[in-house]
Amino acid sequence: MKLGLVIDLDTCVGCHACATACKQWNTSGTIGPLSDQDAYGRDPNGSWLNRIRTFEVNEGGSGCSDAPLDLHAMATDTASKTVHMPMSCMQCENADCVTVCPTGASYKREEDGIVLIDQDKCMGCNLCAWACPYGARELDESQGVMKKCTLCVDRIYDEALPEAERQPACVLSCPTSSRVFGDFDDPNSKVSQLVVERAGQPLMPELGYAPTNQYLPPRAQAEVPQAAKKASATVAKLKQWANQIIAR
Amino acid sequence: MKPAFSVLFFTVTSGIGYGLLVWLLGYNMVGSQPIEMELSLVIIFIGLVFATLGLLSSTLHLANPKNAWRAFSRFRTSWLSREGVFALLFYPVILAYAGLLYFGSSSSVDYALQTGLALLAIAIAVATVYCTGMIYASLKPIRQWHHPLVTPIYLLLSAFSGLVLFVLILVIAGESAFVNSGLQLTLILGVVCALVKLAYFVSIGRPEGLSIETATGFSQAQVKLLDAGHNADTFLTKEFVFKVEARRLQRLRWLAGLMAFMVPILCIAIVSAGMVQTSAGILLLWLCAFLSLYVGLIVERWLFFAEARHVVRLYHGEKTS
């Protein structure tokens, strides 16, 4: 078995429900607690096993260059889109985080490919976090040991749960079903089929980690024809001037 | 990468210690006349103090040091584990060598045993420093570390700094025989170190590798981070997103080059040109060379961390790695 996630970048709305569900489940799970520092203070931070970043992706033109923004061009530019990218452990097949670990705390399970950390063996040297290109490992500052996504190993095999709930917490909580959990070794599984249908791809395959998790790229949108707006030269200049002095 | 002072101090200091001992053992083996027993023992003690201080300091950056003993268990895969094993193995071998120096006779059996132990200790010391370099060189997400010159630089700088300390101790002890024969070697090694480090700086300056576009999978588009998903620093930003002004980096590079290479090489060149004849003057120059080298190497190691850009920074908005 090769368990992992498929994440649909087309439908993810960046609501962070997966991250909070992950935190809620895993803080009381096998690797819990996931501590927070300054939780109610000025700079709340803590260990998270899943983080969502939002990017502006412009496939057509100049919309997201570092040049001064041209709002008129952006408003008519259909090639620019917002992509939310949740990232957790990719359960890599060539997991360098496991091989660099000097204590044997990090290991990859032979039976299902899940990469885990034995909390009782970790000495908190951070080397595995350095070896991970995806930022999937975070040191728990109050316990001094490394934390990472377990693919909810304490849920997915729990026979006390109804079968439909034997899935990672992030998958169950996703309101747009952008996260799918399954076995990539089985060509008939939902995850394998989605990867084939939607041309799923891993992140940074060139580094050679052979990540298991796959990302489905945003679907190509039909181009919406827009009437060209005619603006007089003076108005255009004024607009350009206003855009330049107003920071975004 | 955020420079952790304990790691900077560790790699520089233990590198000097191993370098010093390798030169002592090598000289005792192939030199025209071995160094006196008492002085050898003093040098072994100094070398072990350096190596041990460094190793102890390396445990300071551990968040959970009570499990540090487990770090010897993954010799087959982990360079950090290998480094720990070799560092630990070094002690019995060098202590046996010291014991043989003190208690041994001049019989041929003792001589052969001594040579064997010296060779073994040299091999283990070189392996330890090699492993230190490979800990960094094996990390693919950091292109400034995953670089063919990283491990050679660790070995060369350890050899150079160890040799400077070795000669300094001999100067203090008034052993002029080696000092004169070792001058050329020290100069050549210093120049080689400076050139290799310069080549490294030039080579990492070339932009290459991953960008924010290829990292997010939109390699044909232009990508920019809109929101990192958190408003306070995280473990990832604290550990990996260490930002230093480019101008400051440039100044520190000059400082490292000046203190680690130019000052020591100049001091040694003055001695080798015979411009200073008094023993106090020579001692002062070697002391100056060593202290400058030590501080320079700490700066060099700081830069090694500060200039290393982990690819996870691309997911935090950086354009290139």
Side-chain angles (χ1 to χ4, degrees), chain B residues 19-74:
Chain B
L20 171 69
L21 291 172
V22 164
W23 288 111
L24 170 77
L25 297 168
Y27 186 73
N28 275 353
M29 220 162 35
V30 299
S32 51
Q33 193 188 340
I35 290 167
E36 277 172 47
M37 186 260 284
E38 288 84 5
L39 186 56
S40 288
L41 290 178
V42 169
I43 294 177
I44 289 174
F45 178 74
I46 295 173
L48 283 179
V49 167
F50 270 78
T52 310
L53 274 182
L55 291 174
L56 286 179
S57 123
S58 76
T59 60
L60 291 180
H61 92 284
L62 300 181
N64 192 21
K66 74 174 161 54
N67 278 344
W69 63 275
R70 291 185 186 273
F72 303 111
S73 68
R74 287 298 181 273

Side-chain angles (χ1 to χ4, degrees), chain A residues 9 16 43-45 51-59 61-66 69 82-83 85 87 96 98-104 119-127 129-139 141 143-146 201 203-204 206-209 218 248, chain B residues 1-2 7 61-75 77-81 135-136 138-142 145 210 212 214-218 220-236 238-240 305 310-312 314-317 319:
Chain A
L9 297 180
H16 291 241
D43 289 320
N45 66 93
R51 291 191 182 270
I52 297 94
R53 292 155 189 125
T54 301
F55 297 96
E56 181 180 308
V57 177
N58 191 299
E59 285 174 323
S62 56
C64 63
S65 71
D66 283 329
L69 290 175
T82 302
V83 173
M85 185 171 284
M87 286 174 71
D96 272 13
V98 172
T99 50
V100 301
C101 177
T103 63
Q119 303 285 303
D120 293 333
K121 287 185 181 167
C122 176
M123 66 173 188
C125 69
N126 286 355
L127 191 56
W130 294 2
C132 173
Y134 305 105
R137 291 172 164 245
E138 299 195 13
L139 188 81
E141 280 181 32
Q143 293 162 76
V145 289
M146 202 51 78
Q201 53 174 355
L203 293 183
M204 299 195 286
E206 57 269 55
L207 286 180
Y209 285 68
R248 184 145 170 250
Chain B
M1 304 290 291
K2 185 186 74 184
V7 177
H61 92 284
L62 300 181
N64 192 21
K66 74 174 161 54
N67 278 344
W69 63 275
R70 291 185 186 273
F72 303 111
S73 68
R74 287 298 181 273
F75 186 83
T77 55
S78 167
W79 285 104
L80 182 52
S81 196
I135 291 173
Y136 302 101
S138 67
L139 296 174
K140 279 188 279 185
I142 307 161
W145 287 0
L210 292 147
I212 187 169
T214 56
T216 50
F218 299 99
Q220 300 300 309
Q222 284 175 295
V223 178
K224 142 172 119 176
L225 180 75
L226 290 181
D227 183 28
H230 44 80
N231 42 18
D233 271 339
T234 68
F235 167 76
L236 298 175
K238 281 185 267 188
E239 188 75 8
F240 301 118
F305 274 79
H310 195 284
V311 292
V312 81
L314 301 174
Y315 297 109
H316 291 84
K319 296 282 179 196

